[in-house]
Amino acid sequence: MTRLLFSLLILAWLACVLVPLAGLVSAFIGDGGTGDIVTEVSTTGILLRTLGWSAMIAAVSASIGWIPGRYMARARGGGCNRVLWILMVVPMCLPAYAIFYCWYQAVPPGSYLGNMAAENGMIPMLREGILLVSMTCWSWPIISLCVAACTSLRRDRVHELLTLDAAGPGRRLAVAIREDLPALLRGMLIVGMLMIANTVAFDLAQVQTMGFHLRALEAQAAPGWMILQSSLPLVVLLLVAIGLLVLVPLRRSPEDPVPAQPPRTWQAVVTWLVVILTIILPIIL
């Protein structure tokens, strides 16, 4: 029964993937007039901009979500920790553009930052800064969940060996980064793919990405084959990201697990500061 259910799920997944790909392949044999459609926009430049923004948001999210992920992997099931888990899930339950809107409303045109940006011609820079902050606030819990899940599968004997060797902070940091690197890479790939597929938040910030380019073609009543051809780089890029996601090794639980060490106090402080500044504060503002 389990094999039958698994086989049905695989077939359903293949159908959901192969049917759209069939339409994508047919784009190369389709033809039609382009009329007055504007196609002088550099697709390469837009693709590089999309990749740059996705990579930057993924990297910043990883730097913020790493410590909370390590804390949540070792935290006990207390009332405060349950509240923390709920708060971390809240951004992922909201659309990304809603988080952007919350931050954008915190600096309206009549505010100090809004007036200063308007007087110095820095409105586009302000929008891009808000986009980076808001998308990071939306993405870092994904990194934390990946780190927490992978850390919970790993034994803590390394911590004991570092304690016996009287390792300094620098060595402990290097070991921690090496141990959590697969989880961080997985989380960054997931965040990067989500940012590539994100269109509304980037449109609100007036940052032209591939999603904006495809929406512009659709608004000009471009034929379907042209839109599909233009989306091909995104499809290839996402397939490569999925392949890398599968190839990133996942550490397995050992046969002789060692009880996890309790989280340090500074990790709890950093985690709650991140939650307050990136989740609670935007809602209050």
Side-chain angles (χ1 to χ4, degrees):
M1 184 64 182
T2 304
R3 291 185 177 180
L4 177 61
L5 180 60
F6 182 75
S7 300
L8 291 176
L9 290 175
I10 292 296
L11 290 175
W13 181 82
L14 288 175
C16 293
V17 173
L18 294 180
V19 171
L21 284 181
L24 185 63
V25 172
S26 66
F28 293 97
I29 60 177
D31 57 1
T34 58
D36 298 329
I37 298 173
V38 179
T39 58
E40 290 81 5
V41 180
S42 174
T43 306
T44 303
I46 296 178
L47 182 61
L48 292 177
R49 186 182 301 114
T50 304
L51 282 175
W53 272 97
S54 301
M56 179 170 56
I57 292 172
V60 177
S61 300
S63 64
I64 293 177
W66 180 39
I67 298 301
R70 291 180 63 87
Y71 170 77
M72 295 306 299
R74 295 176 170 84
R76 307 301 179 186
C80 292
N81 291 329
R82 292 193 184 96
V83 174
L84 187 61
W85 275 109
I86 295 174
L87 291 175
M88 289 176 61
V89 175
V90 167
M92 293 183 290
C93 296
L94 299 173
Y97 66 83
I99 306 297
F100 172 84
Y101 185 77
C102 289
W103 279 101
Y104 193 73
Q105 291 302 307
V107 286
S111 64
Y112 173 75
L113 288 178
N115 291 336
M116 183 176 65
E119 293 172 358
N120 295 276
M122 300 173 63
I123 294 296
M125 186 178 299
L126 177 63
R127 283 196 302 263
E128 292 177 357
I130 294 174
L131 177 65
L132 177 61
V133 171
S134 59
M135 293 302 98
T136 301
C137 295
W138 186 80
S139 302
W140 74 260
I142 300 175
I143 305 288
S144 296
L145 293 178
C146 292
V147 173
C150 293
T151 303
S152 62
L153 297 176
R154 188 176 65 239
R155 61 183 179 181
D156 231 7
R157 196 176 298 279
V158 175
H159 177 79
E160 294 183 351
L161 295 176
L162 291 174
T163 302
L164 291 175
D165 293 343
R171 184 180 175 188
R172 289 179 179 271
L173 178 62
V175 171
I177 294 176
R178 186 176 67 248
E179 290 290 318
D180 292 335
L181 187 59
L184 290 172
L185 290 177
R186 282 175 173 267
M188 290 176 65
L189 284 172
I190 294 173
V191 170
M193 288 189 291
L194 291 174
M195 290 300 107
I196 289 175
N198 192 340
T199 58
V200 179
F202 286 89
D203 287 351
L204 292 175
Q206 299 183 22
V207 175
Q208 296 188 12
T209 58
M210 284 299 296
F212 179 88
H213 176 60
L214 296 177
R215 286 161 61 96
L217 289 177
E218 183 182 11
Q220 298 179 74
W225 63 267
M226 177 181 290
I227 298 177
L228 288 174
Q229 283 184 346
S230 300
S231 65
L232 181 60
L234 283 183
V235 175
V236 174
L237 189 62
L238 291 176
L239 289 177
V240 171
I242 292 174
L244 294 175
L245 190 63
V246 174
L247 293 176
V248 172
L250 180 64
R251 298 180 181 273
R252 300 296 181 182
S253 178
E255 297 180 356
D256 56 338
V258 177
Q261 298 292 329
R264 299 177 181 272
T265 303
W266 68 268
Q267 291 179 338
V269 173
V270 170
T271 300
W272 276 104
L273 282 177
V274 170
V275 169
I276 293 173
L277 293 177
T278 62
I279 298 178
I280 299 178
L281 185 61
I283 297 176
I284 295 176
L285 295 178

